[in-house]
Every structure is written in structure tokens, then in C-alpha cells.
Amino acid sequence: MRQIFSQWAIIISAIALLYACHQPSEKNKKKIFRYNEYAGIASLDPAFAKNQSTMWPAHQLFNTLVEIDDSLNIKPSLAKYWDISPDKTTYTFYLRDDVWFHDDACFPDGKGRKMVASDVVFSFQRILDPKTASPGAWIFNGKVDSIQPFTAINDTIFQLKLLRPYQPILGILSMQYCSVVAPEAVQQYGVDFRQHPVGTGPFKFVVWEEGQALIFAKNEKYFEFDSAGRRLPYLDGIKISFKDSRATEFLLFRQGQLDFINELDPSFKDEVLTKKGTLRKKWQDKIELQTHPYLNVEYLGFLMDTTNPLVKNAPTRFKKVRQAINYGFDREKMILYLRNSLGTPAQSGFVPKGMPSFNDSLVKGYNYNPVKAAQLLKEAGFPGGKGLPPIKLLTISVYADFGNFIAKQLEELGIRVQVEVVQKSLLFEMTAGSKTAFFRGGWIADYPDAENYLSVFYSKNPAPPNYTRYNNPEFDKVFEQAIQETNDSIRYALYRKADQIAINDAPVVPLWYDKVIHLVQKNVKGFTTNALNLLELRHTQIE
């Protein structure tokens, strides 16, 4: 009977929230934040939070031991504070004792219980468990102690042991993969935990009609308060829609049915933005434009594994051909005309602008130099492109214009690039399985440390993150030195050295260092951007 009652309660709550989303009357109107996820959401299980569409809801439903603030500093969350042993291998976290899991039928009487240190142990072990098959298993592999990496000393003290010093570990622990989940819910729902999540976050799961809408409600027992002593969050709930057309998404935003949109479809950018990346006059009184440096690099990747049949006879197996492609197109023009200046041409390394170790005067990448590109092509044995077979570039529809822009400029050098548009899921499958020799990619920071980007080239990493299968012992040596170095200045210098080694080998073609672009309704307050573009709604209000 209790289970039936609980299900009816969920249905009634969902109806109430959905109803509130559409009511024009201000009286008793619920404050529901509405956004659209055009790419869909594969799972609400944080063990599978591998991309932005899954990270955003996970951040509303769950908490991590530590989190990143707007200035990219590590700050407490579930952990109040922590100690680090003198040898830098043992981290002891002192947990809050006022954190409760969301009410759910998996608990006795449907009432959530207090979170304890053993829940952290369970959540982290679950990431490593092969049965979970989490794409985030790499975050701990080769880093944590192989015998007893995670220990609950008591209910409020959790300990993590490393194999050796690893400076970025706190950043790792801020990732959505490291969210603390309710063991009872995982055990009760099994694989269905993906659509029945139970966490400690500021919002709790209500209902998910896949392909239609996803509803979260305020967690009335959330542990955080604002500076005035008011319990967070301010919103009553969140409604996520799943319109797969960016045109429809933009139309709904214009009609006031969405509170913000992330990014802007290329077909609307000239209507809304000037070439300098500012709002056109007719929009200035209607909406807010938020931009912010974004720890994301867009790139083209080459498969580097010469044992792979796709690479054995491919012209891209030659470093000078890859370098010629890097020199052969104008990134500055591409950003001006196709991005309305929203982004920085990637003419340094793979580590993007905004990262603490970034220094474009010390890491030299590729600018537009057709003369040098032609010379490299000649040295590779393909003067003027003679004898060079066509190179197929796989991309997705929203990046087709960029592929065509690059292909047109490279054609002038004699490099023929055939741009093929595929579904996002197929592109991921092909890059993860080393089934394409030349592909479009993007790497969004999981935490603000250059190690997160350089791990893309570490030979001991699988795909993801090493989609190119790049393998250079010199790079690996410098990278391993960097992640064990505790002095920031020395570590940053090692990061830059590793970045330069990889860029010289040209396993990738960096395109641009990104910017967050949000269009926000005027009545939305306290909605801020950050360099990780993590959807932060705890302090958001709707007037």
C-alpha cells in the first residue's frame, strides 16, 4: 500500500509542477526554471555523467565531497574540510552531519536517511566496479591505492589513499562521476537507477517521461543556506523539455516558454548577435546575453595508431601532412564569420585559454600560413597535393559549416577533405572504437587543471579520453612528472612542456578556445555562468 501511495504522490507532484509551468496567473505561481535539452539525456545516474547533457541534471540531484566555485577554486560541499598527509598520498575528509538523502520508497517508511561516510565509499567503489561499466572509471584507475583506496573511519570521516602523489585529485573529486548516491536506491532499482535517482542535491527527482519532459522539485531538506539564513534553493522546481530542433528551442525561448538557452544555433546567430559578439539593438531590451571564458577546446582529431588498417596507408599518418592541415586554414576568419567572435582562435596548445597554466607566448601552436603549409606538403612527398588521396572528415551537423570552411581553404593547397555528417551517437561510437581516421571532437574540462586536457594524449589512457590513440614516451614522461609535482609553478611549466610536445606532433587540429553563451530571460536573477559551464541553479530566482 505504501508503494502505491508513493507512486500516486509522485504523479500528483508532477502534475502540479507541470500545471504550474503553464499558468499565466501570478497568484500562487510556482517558480519553475525551464530549459530544453535538445541532445536528450541518456541517464540520471552520475556514474554515467560523461557529457554536459547528463552532468547538468546530475548537479541538481547529487552532491560531491568538494566542488568548484565561480573562480575555479576548490571549496567544501559534503566535506566541511580535509587534511592531506605529509607524503601527499592520504586525504582525510570530515563530512557534514546534516545531509539527508531525498525521501524515496527505497528507505523505510519512504523517508530519506542521513548521509554517512560509508555512502561515499559505496559511491566511489561503484565507479571502479567493472559491473557498473562507468565511463568515469578512468578517473581513479592507476591513481588510488589498489588494496584499500576508500575507507569510512566513522560516520563523518572518509579517507582516500593514493598510490603516489597526484595533485589534481581534489579536482577529480568535484566531478559529477564522484556524486554520492544512496546505496539502497542502487540496490533496489538496479539498472533502473538511471531513471530513478536518489541523492542529496538541491532538487529531487519527480518524474521522467523520456522524450517529453523531466521534472525535479525543490529538496525542502537541503543542507545549504544563503548569507541571510534562507534555505537553498529558491526555485520550486525544474522542468526540462526535449525538443530536438534548435529552431523549435529558439522559438520557445522567444515566446517566453524557456528561461534560457545554451549556445545559439548558427542559423539564428546573425539575427541576435553582431559580428563582434554583442546583442543586436532590437534584442537588448528583451533578453540578457551572458558570455564567459569556457574551458572547452574544439578540435579535429587524427587517429594515430599506425597498426590500425585505417591509418596504415592514410596520408594523415605523416606528421608533415597533419602540420600542413594545421597551418592551412584561417582560424581568425572562421571565428569571426561562423562564431560571431564568440571564441578565441586556438593558436597555442590543446590546453585552452582560461586554464591557470595557459600561456600562449610559451606554447606555440599553428596560425594561418599557407606558404609553410605548402612547403610541409612538398616535404611530405605531395607537392601541391599531387598524389594525395581525399581525406574524409567525420563531424556532426552543427559543426558542418566549420568543416566545409576548413575544407575549402585546404583545397587551395591541394588537400581535398570530404566532410561527412553523421549522428552524434555514431561519431562517438566510431571515435571510441578507433573506426575513423579524421574526426571532429571537443573536450570540456571536468575540473580546472591542465592535466584534464593533457590526459587526452596519455598513452596509458583508453578512448575516452585518448581518442587519437596518441603514444609518445617523451610526452608520457613529462606528463607523469607534472601530475606528481606539488609546486604549482613547476607543475604548470611541465604542463606547458607536455602540451608543446603533443602540439608539435599534431595529433589534433585545435580550432578555438570556447566561450559560454547564454541567452537568458530578463526575469531570471542570480543565474551565473562559470568556466565549466555547469548549470548552477541553487541561487537562481524567477521574478
Side-chain angles (χ1 to χ4, degrees), residues 51-52 55 72 262-263 292-299 335 339 342-346 349-355 358 399 440-449 452-453 456 510-517 530-534:
N51 53 34
Q52 184 173 278
M55 290 175 186
L72 301 181
N262 179 58
E263 279 289 344
H292 194 281
Y294 183 16
L295 296 181
N296 175 43
V297 61
E298 296 292 332
Y299 69 95
I335 300 306
R339 292 278 298 174
L342 292 172
T344 303
F350 192 70
V351 176
K353 186 176 183 180
M355 196 63 79
F358 178 86
Y399 293 98
R440 174 263 159 193
W443 193 260
I444 302 170
D446 299 302
Y447 46 92
D449 192 288
N452 192 211
Y453 284 89
V456 169
L511 301 178
W512 70 86
Y513 309 129
D514 216 348
K515 279 188 177 180
V516 172
I517 308 163
N530 57 65
L532 295 175
N533 197 22
L534 195 58

Side-chain angles (χ1 to χ4, degrees), residues 85-276:
S85 65
D87 66 357
K88 311 291 185 185
T89 62
T90 302
Y91 286 66
T92 304
F93 296 88
Y94 300 87
L95 310 183
R96 301 180 66 113
D97 63 356
D98 58 350
V99 179
W100 295 77
F101 284 113
H102 303 150
D103 292 347
D104 189 85
C106 69
F107 298 115
D109 299 320
K111 297 295 183 183
R113 62 165 175 82
K114 188 177 288 189
M115 183 215 71
V116 293
S118 60
D119 299 318
V120 184
V121 174
F122 173 87
S123 301
F124 288 6
Q125 286 177 336
R126 181 170 176 260
I127 297 297
L128 282 174
D129 188 346
K131 292 178 183 176
T132 306
S134 168
W138 65 271
I139 66 175
F140 289 136
N141 283 339
K143 302 177 181 77
V144 296
D145 184 72
S146 55
I147 299 171
Q148 193 170 7
F150 316 123
T151 305
I153 305 298
N154 57 38
D155 281 356
T156 58
I157 301 178
F158 166 78
Q159 199 167 78
L160 179 147
K161 289 189 178 180
L162 300 172
L163 285 169
R164 61 190 68 85
Y166 178 65
Q167 195 64 15
I169 189 61
L170 288 174
I172 288 274
L173 296 179
S174 73
M175 294 171 66
Q176 271 61 56
Y177 287 132
C178 296
S179 299
V180 176
V181 302
E184 293 92 335
V186 174
Q187 288 153 8
Q188 176 158 323
Y189 302 117
V191 294
D192 289 334
F193 184 71
R194 66 172 286 278
Q195 57 187 2
H196 200 127
V198 181
T200 61
F203 297 90
K204 56 189 178 184
F205 174 78
V206 177
V207 70
W208 184 11
E209 184 67 33
E210 295 198 41
Q212 298 299 315
L214 173 59
I215 305 293
F216 299 155
K218 174 194 288 195
N219 175 8
E220 302 286 357
K221 297 190 293 185
Y222 190 59
F223 60 89
E224 287 190 282
F225 294 80
D226 68 11
S227 57
R230 290 184 297 171
R231 190 185 293 272
L232 299 176
Y234 304 128
L235 295 168
D236 294 305
I238 302 169
K239 179 190 175 186
I240 306 167
S241 56
F242 297 100
K243 305 297 184 186
D244 60 4
S245 163
R246 297 303 293 265
T248 302
E249 180 182 77
F250 184 66
L251 178 62
L252 291 172
F253 176 74
R254 288 186 65 174
Q255 293 173 344
Q257 294 184 49
L258 296 176
D259 291 298
F260 102 112
I261 54 176
N262 179 58
E263 279 289 344
L264 189 60
D265 189 85
S267 56
F268 305 115
K269 69 182 189 321
D270 290 326
E271 179 187 344
V272 179
L273 302 175
T274 67
K275 288 298 180 188
K276 292 183 179 180

